[in-house]
Amino acid sequence: MVLLLFAAVCCAAPVGNAIGAYVAMRTGAQDDGGIAEGGTAADIPPRMLTAYKNATGQIGKHVPKCRGMRWPVLAGIAKVESNHAIGRSIAAGGDIRPRIYGVLLNGSGAGGNTTVFPDTDNGRWDGTADGERAVGPFQFLPSTWEGAGKDANGDKRADPHNADDAALGAAIYLCGGGRDLAKRSQLKAAILQYNRSNEYVVNVLGWIDQYTAAAKDPGLKNVSGKVRTVIEAALSQRGVPYSWGGGTTKGKSYGICCSPGGKSGSSIKGFDCSGLTAYAYAQAGVQLPRTAAAQAGVGKRIPAGLGQSALRPGDLIFYAYAPGRDATIHHVGIYVGGGQMINAPRPGTVIRLDAVDAMSGFAGGARVL
């Protein structure tokens, strides 16, 4: 059951059977615009990361039809629900102390709760018989835990206050009857089931994308000089919010209003796609024009017809409404090799690693260095 309700062009010149108490326990530092920054495995306590990885290895025993369960999915949920239990002691067996409790869901309004949830466990998991409150690093309601909880660490007890058990329970709940979480639509549906809030879904997806990118960092051992400077500068901004019109050669900045989709960057400190590329190249002493279309006129143009194989790390990659007509270019990224690019995709997302073909309208590239 989910408790709480919160209630595309790149560059510019709880209701039902819910699970967690997101409103009751909203954690994690966030930057301007409500998009959290950070998102590397180094941000996660090692014992919690082990629990996430163990759960992905065990999910097949409990939900054989589940596909696409990865540790970044669990990390994204746990980041938002409890900040990975940071500040707690996590024993070798996975027990977390002191225990993590959400607010008492008695309709008082504390933490945003307005609905009374009667007690279902006589205080066994949530420490009170006066009502329900979400528990553990994944903020399960006791009633939900009864259906999702499993013993993951072999101690013959399914405990939502245990990192291993809680991570496996979350994996089981997210998998449902057998979702394919590699499909974005099904991943969104799973997160929405966890908490019926669109804002919650966007927040969790942002963290999942950051952890996914961190899990597949590009190898740069054969990249050197100014190209390496550009790529490392762009990679250093992963997790920073997309901001329409945002970003200068000195770093992230507040953007402007408004994108063709009506999204304003004026209250969000970050980058849009060409702001990011201009910043990264400036760190190598190269001044780029401000917009994606103008940047296509710099350096040696790489025609789209040559395909991705013609790209080299550090190349700019362009996307157009009408590939072949550079005047229609609307998006730019930086190629890092292996079919990946550093990308500031669109409003509501963060800077991240994406596949080159994650966006439509591939219009070739430009070699500036």
Side-chain angles (χ1 to χ4, degrees), residues 56-74:
T56 63
Q58 295 183 45
I59 189 62
K61 300 177 185 177
H62 301 278
V63 191
K65 294 183 179 180
C66 184
R67 298 290 181 271
M69 175 56 70
R70 303 162 287 123
W71 74 257
V73 173
L74 297 175

Side-chain angles (χ1 to χ4, degrees), residues 291-314:
T291 65
Q295 289 177 5
V298 178
K300 179 183 177 182
R301 196 75 167 86
I302 304 168
L306 296 179
Q308 293 184 31
S309 62
L311 298 172
R312 296 179 187 171

Side-chain angles (χ1 to χ4, degrees), residues 86-102:
I86 289 174
R88 260 72 174 182
S89 173
I90 309 172
D95 288 338
I96 298 171
R97 297 294 183 271
R99 291 180 169 185
I100 302 172
Y101 296 114

Side-chain angles (χ1 to χ4, degrees), residues 144-292:
T144 308
W145 181 251
E146 288 305 311
K150 300 292 181 182
D151 171 26
N153 65 351
D155 65 358
K156 303 185 185 305
R157 184 171 186 252
D159 185 349
H161 298 284
N162 178 276
D164 296 315
D165 296 354
L168 179 58
I172 290 170
Y173 191 85
L174 290 165
C175 282
R179 290 189 177 99
D180 184 350
L181 300 178
K183 295 180 178 178
R184 196 75 167 182
S185 61
Q186 294 192 36
L187 177 59
K188 287 182 178 179
I191 300 170
L192 192 61
Q193 174 182 300
Y194 208 98
N195 188 312
R196 298 189 186 282
S197 159
N198 289 328
E199 182 176 340
Y200 179 87
V201 172
V202 170
N203 197 12
V204 170
L205 283 174
W207 282 110
I208 292 173
D209 289 341
Q210 291 174 64
Y211 290 128
T212 298
K216 55 179 183 181
D217 267 347
L220 299 179
K221 65 180 181 180
N222 296 321
V223 179
S224 60
K226 290 186 175 182
V227 170
R228 188 183 186 96
T229 298
V230 167
I231 292 176
E232 288 184 340
L235 286 172
S236 72
Q237 301 305 311
R238 280 183 300 175
V240 172
Y242 180 100
S243 176
W244 176 262
T248 71
T249 56
K250 295 181 179 180
K252 60 185 179 181
S253 69
Y254 290 101
I256 60 175
C257 186
C258 282
S259 74
K263 302 294 184 180
S264 174
S266 60
S267 64
I268 302 173
K269 195 174 184 180
F271 294 91
D272 65 12
C273 66
S274 57
L276 175 65
T277 54
Y279 164 76
Y281 270 86
Q283 309 318 298
V286 177
Q287 300 296 312
L288 293 180
R290 184 55 180 82
T291 65

Side-chain angles (χ1 to χ4, degrees), residues 9-96:
V9 183
C10 169
C11 301
V15 201
N17 182 28
I19 196 174
Y22 177 54
V23 219
M25 189 173 192
R26 192 175 180 185
T27 59
Q30 296 193 343
D31 195 13
D32 305 77
I35 303 296
E37 291 195 54
T40 69
D43 301 330
I44 305 171
R47 186 60 184 84
M48 291 301 294
L49 182 59
T50 296
Y52 306 155
K53 292 181 176 180
N54 286 344
T56 63
Q58 295 183 45
I59 189 62
K61 300 177 185 177
H62 301 278
V63 191
K65 294 183 179 180
C66 184
R67 298 290 181 271
M69 175 56 70
R70 303 162 287 123
W71 74 257
V73 173
L74 297 175
I77 295 286
K79 174 63 181 180
V80 173
E81 294 292 351
S82 71
N83 198 24
H84 306 300
I86 289 174
R88 260 72 174 182
S89 173
I90 309 172
D95 288 338
I96 298 171

